Amino acid sequence: MTINEVILCKYGEVILKGANRATFEAALIKELRRRASHYGLFEVYGKQSTVFIIPKNDECDMDGMYEAAKRVFGIVGVNRAAVCDKNMESIKALAREYLPLKLLGKKTFKVEAKRSDKRFPLKSPEISAEIGGVILSTVKGIRVNVHSPEVTVTVEVRDEHAYIRAGQEPGAGGLPPRSAGRGLLLLSGGIDSPVAGLMMAKRGMEIEALHFESFPYTSERALEKVMDLASLMCEYTSKMYVHTISLTHIQEEIRDKCTEDYFTLLLRVFMMRLSERLAKEYKCSALVTGESLGQVASQTLGALGVTDAEVSIPVFRPCIGLDKEEIITYARQYGTLETSILPYEDCCTVFTPRHPKTQPKPELVAAELAKLDVDALLEEAYATKKTEVKLIYPEYR
Ligand code: ATP
Ligand code: MG
């Protein structure tokens, strides 16, 4: 018997959307269709709170598509299921063929049956009992454990077909890509900012990135690392514009003319103003940073108050209440940690003051800024802007 497998993706929060549900659903399906086109000829459609991904020939890369689906925000569960006709004989025959391999080496299982077609002659507990019997007679040594089974076998009788699967993996969660506006991520080479960007992407925000470099104080390799991080983020976001702006002259001017204790804070004032300008040019309605309260001197409440006051668009700091260990856990989960911990310098780590101000007075910040030709420096820095696009799938261009 030939077994036809499909990939099923379970909607997450999309199901809670009322009148807007269709828009969110469309965003989810669009993303999965684009990804699928990279892995072969698939049919992709949404039905009954599930996205069905159906291979149309043997050349389809099911493993590749499956892994890609796990990184699409908006989905809470991904599984591979075998399909058959909607009658008990076919379901049992499929279970006999399909499940022994899937349950190889497993010690305990339970069967859950779901019937969205209520005209199906057997009720859910009856389907479960029958399929449980098939498993017990075909899989050696396996036992039933309804409370904490090693694997849950699910039989779903839906509108057109029946589906059998053994287990389900978690999806990326959140809301579909590009369903919640666009934000500009201030992307350093550190651990926190890629996580911050992905946390907002998870809530449906389209992320564009801005990195500040400071050649020759920061190296070519440091910039490559940031670009590598952006590429890793694309595993989830699929596509990302990465802008770079040079802060070299601004930093030299601050170093030459201002009080040392204020170096970092002044630099951050310039970063915020340049970020807001770029955000407006590229239609991003918010800034996103990887700041976490109290992590360093520039992330005290006082310092954040000073930098926040510099801009008129919202600044999102999704890591604000997370401990470093928690941020690291996310970075590991998103696959950015290993690259983030490579030891390269950042513009924030050149000319760092020995005693940075942790409780800065806004009027003293203003007095320090008055020592500089701020407008000319901003103009000059903005003119160094360069833009690159990062993508995982060529068809995103
Ligand atoms: P990260 O937070 O990514 O680990 P970090 O811990 O070195 O970097 P800071 O240097 O204090 O943190 O920076 C705080 C935030 O400011 C970063 O999370 C990032 O959003 C932004 N930022 C810092 N450096 C840069 C840079 N070179 N370009 C763009 N944004 C930056
Ligand atoms: Mg940080």
Side-chain angles (χ1 to χ4, degrees):
M1 141 184 218
T2 48
I3 294 176
N4 295 316
E5 258 195 330
V6 300
I7 296 169
L8 304 181
C9 305
K10 305 284 172 174
Y11 290 6
E13 264 181 56
V14 175
I15 53 170
L16 304 175
K17 299 288 165 200
N20 296 330
R21 176 168 166 163
T23 320
F24 286 92
E25 231 178 313
L28 190 56
I29 289 161
K30 191 170 172 189
E31 176 67 23
L32 283 161
R33 264 195 198 134
R34 274 179 171 160
R35 289 191 178 217
S37 67
H38 188 74
Y39 294 100
L41 191 63
F42 286 92
E43 185 187 357
V44 180
Y45 61 87
K47 206 173 179 190
Q48 297 177 298
S49 301
T50 302
V51 184
F52 291 74
I53 304 176
I54 300 166
K56 299 311 265 183
N57 59 36
D58 292 342
E59 272 95 75
C60 288
D61 175 2
M62 286 288 278
D63 293 340
M65 185 59 225
Y66 182 76
E67 289 306 313
K70 283 202 289 191
R71 292 191 286 266
V72 173
F73 290 125
I75 287 168
V76 289
V78 184
N79 63 72
R80 284 169 82 141
V83 194
C84 67
D85 288 340
K86 272 171 58 173
N87 60 68
M88 223 36 225
E89 275 325 297
S90 301
I91 296 173
K92 279 160 71 175
L94 179 63
R96 261 192 297 276
E97 288 285 325
Y98 183 63
L99 290 173
L101 208 62
K102 295 275 168 185
L103 298 176
L104 200 68
K106 306 288 183 207
K107 293 194 173 58
T108 56
F109 78 101
K110 77 168 174 183
V111 181
E112 256 177 27
K114 294 176 190 165
R115 242 179 11 144
S116 57
D117 175 3
K118 300 295 174 202
R119 290 163 311 176
F120 192 75
L122 269 67
K123 294 207 171 69
S124 298
E126 294 162 353
I127 304 172
S128 298
E130 294 242 358
I131 301 304
V134 170
I135 294 171
L136 288 171
S137 66
T138 52
V139 183
K140 239 174 122 191
I142 203 162
R143 285 179 296 109
V144 175
N145 181 339
V146 286
H147 299 298
S148 56
E150 210 180 327
V151 196
T152 299
V153 170
T154 309
V155 181
E156 292 188 60
V157 182
R158 289 177 170 255
D159 286 354
E160 276 139 28
H161 299 284
Y163 300 85
I164 301 181
R165 64 180 153 97
Q168 167 159 283
E169 282 194 277
L175 290 170
R178 290 170 280 276
S179 64
R182 188 184 304 143
L184 180 67
L185 170 68
L186 279 69
L187 180 62
S188 70
I191 297 170
D192 310 332
S193 47
V195 168
L198 288 170
M199 286 173 85
M200 297 314 296
K202 181 175 180 182
R203 297 307 300 164
M205 186 179 267
E206 181 179 358
I207 294 293
E208 207 150 318
L210 168 58
H211 175 70
F212 293 104
E213 45 85 357
S214 195
F215 290 131
Y217 306 106
T218 61
S219 64
E220 191 67 50
R221 194 58 200 94
L223 180 61
E224 275 168 28
K225 171 186 169 182
V226 172
M227 292 298 171
D228 289 347
L229 283 171
S231 299
L232 289 171
M233 291 175 72
C234 284
E235 290 288 337
Y236 290 86
T237 64
S238 291
K239 176 179 178 179
M240 199 158 78
Y241 287 97
V242 187
H243 310 276
T244 50
I245 285 181
S246 168
L247 292 178
T248 309
H249 193 209
I250 290 175
Q251 290 200 266
E252 288 170 341
E253 284 285 292
I254 293 175
R255 177 197 58 191
D256 294 344
K257 298 184 176 156
C258 300
T259 309
E260 185 184 315
D261 297 0
Y262 281 88
F263 281 2
T264 310
L265 199 63
L266 292 169
L267 184 65
R268 298 200 69 84
V269 166
F270 279 96
M271 287 166 75
M272 295 306 270
R273 291 195 190 174
L274 290 164
S275 302
E276 180 172 34
R277 178 161 170 192
L278 193 129
K280 286 188 171 155
E281 183 177 343
Y282 290 88
K283 308 214 163 14
C284 301
S285 359
L287 300 180
V288 178
T289 80
E291 289 160 313
S292 160
L293 189 63
Q295 192 186 75
V296 288
S298 61
Q299 294 172 29
T300 61
L301 207 48
L304 292 174
V306 167
T307 47
D308 237 21
E310 288 298 328
V311 293
S312 58
I313 54 175
V315 183
F316 293 134
R317 301 179 172 93
C319 298
I320 198 73
L322 297 180
D323 291 351
K324 195 75 190 185
E325 272 309 312
E326 293 170 307
I327 302 173
I328 288 173
T329 303
Y330 279 114
R332 194 173 282 125
Q333 184 187 319
Y334 285 130
T336 53
L337 183 65
E338 279 185 24
T339 304
S340 286
I341 58 181
L342 295 173
Y344 295 104
E345 64 294 328
D346 181 57
C347 66
C348 288
T349 57
V350 294
F351 313 141
T352 39
R354 279 157 293 180
H355 306 290
K357 276 277 171 249
T358 52
Q359 303 302 332
K361 294 202 170 59
E363 59 278 16
L364 293 182
V365 176
E368 291 296 323
L369 285 171
K371 298 176 183 172
L372 304 166
D373 188 348
V374 174
D375 290 343
L377 284 171
L378 286 171
E379 250 350 284
E380 184 196 349
Y382 202 75
T384 66
K385 170 169 65 79
K386 294 195 193 92
T387 300
E388 262 188 51
V389 61
K390 296 280 164 200
L391 347 115
I392 36 165
Y393 305 118
E395 50 273 27
Y396 275 84
R397 261 192 198 286

